[in-house]
Amino acid sequence: MRALVIEDEPRIASFIEFGLTAEGFTVEVADNGADGLCLAESAGFDVIVLDLMLPRVSGEEVLHRLRAGGSTVPVVVLTAKDAVLDRVTTLNAGADDYLVKPFSFAELLARIRARLRSAPAATDPTVLTVGRIRIDLARRRCWTGDRSVELTNREFRLLEVFMRHPGHVLSHAQLLDLAWGYAHDPGSNIVEVYISYLRKKVGADTIETVRGGGYRFVDRSA
């Protein structure tokens, strides 16, 4: 199970991450609504724990955009807003559950498990194919044509991001958010380094550099 925690208070985010990890979840954390929305829209999570009072993009707006975009992933709202109107408005906007801070982790876990039991079966594909390149998300394997390619975990994650957005120009900042899951040093060349690694392994012509824009994954099979 993959969980996304969108929470700007480090102590609470760390508390939830530690608890869910101990329960067998793979957890990613975003400390603002913009990064959280970006992750939620691009990586297949089974559940989202969402604070409402977030910097950059509010939790209400994150929820609105997810539901407007057709996402059905269960969202458990965790917030200090305890008014009845806040609860009603948020549930009507598409939240699956609403828990007020302070909270017990046992109750949060029980609510998450309840939502996962009632959630529809995931439709996220386990195999992605773009042109001659194919990756198996469950087994973490990659092929170009009939040739198996060995990738590190980070290379695999970056390739997955590209293959979920074929033909789209992804900026340096977007790739950091999606593949690394946090705001890395914007002056770092880590994105360029890993793109270089990928080009050597899956083909130099598969990832285009777009001047002033970023990078684009291209189907070269035709």
Side-chain angles (χ1 to χ4, degrees):
M1 288 286 138
R2 300 189 68 217
L4 172 61
V5 178
I6 310 177
E7 167 63 63
D8 66 326
E9 190 171 335
R11 182 181 60 82
I12 295 177
S14 179
F15 172 67
I16 298 171
E17 180 182 17
F18 179 83
L20 289 179
T21 300
E23 293 294 328
F25 286 79
T26 298
V27 183
E28 290 199 47
V29 176
D31 64 3
N32 65 80
D35 289 346
L37 180 62
C38 196
L39 281 168
E41 289 178 331
S42 63
F45 291 98
D46 299 289
V47 65
I48 297 172
V49 178
L50 176 66
D51 187 17
L52 293 183
M53 293 181 284
L54 294 167
R56 296 178 63 186
V57 175
S58 71
E60 290 92 343
E61 182 64 17
V62 170
L63 180 61
H64 170 73
R65 293 195 199 177
L66 285 176
R67 295 308 186 228
S71 173
T72 59
V73 62
V75 175
V76 177
V77 167
L78 186 63
T79 179
K81 293 185 174 182
D82 60 357
V84 173
L85 181 58
D86 289 323
R87 294 172 185 257
V88 172
T89 300
T90 305
L91 291 169
N92 284 339
D96 296 271
D97 211 335
Y98 194 103
L99 192 59
V100 176
K101 301 174 183 177
F103 64 98
S104 77
F105 178 76
E107 182 177 6
L108 173 63
L109 180 62
R111 293 185 182 226
I112 287 174
R113 285 177 169 164
R115 294 307 157 194
L116 289 173
R117 285 195 297 270
S118 61
T123 58
D124 203 32
T126 58
V127 176
L128 299 179
T129 302
V130 178
R132 65 176 183 267
I133 300 174
R134 184 171 85 260
I135 59 174
D136 185 323
L137 302 176
R139 294 189 292 165
R140 311 291 287 182
R141 296 188 61 190
C142 171
W143 298 265
T144 59
D146 295 327
R147 180 174 63 88
S148 179
V149 179
E150 293 294 326
L151 299 177
T152 66
N153 286 338
R154 188 60 63 192
E155 290 167 351
F156 190 94
R157 176 63 183 139
L158 182 58
L159 181 59
E160 178 187 346
V161 169
F162 275 121
M163 292 184 68
R164 287 185 182 275
H165 302 83
H168 292 204
V169 178
L170 298 175
S171 70
H172 182 278
Q174 286 175 313
L175 290 171
L176 280 175
D177 282 342
L178 295 173
W180 276 261
Y182 57 90
H184 206 78
D185 176 6
S188 167
N189 68 341
I190 193 168
V191 170
E192 290 77 8
V193 168
Y194 275 87
I195 285 177
S196 175
Y197 293 159
L198 276 182
R199 282 171 168 164
K200 290 176 182 177
K201 292 185 176 184
V202 301
D205 60 345
T206 57
I207 303 173
E208 289 183 340
T209 299
V210 179
R211 195 177 192 87
Y215 299 91
R216 176 169 49 213
F217 192 76
V218 182
D219 177 2
R220 296 295 189 185
S221 60

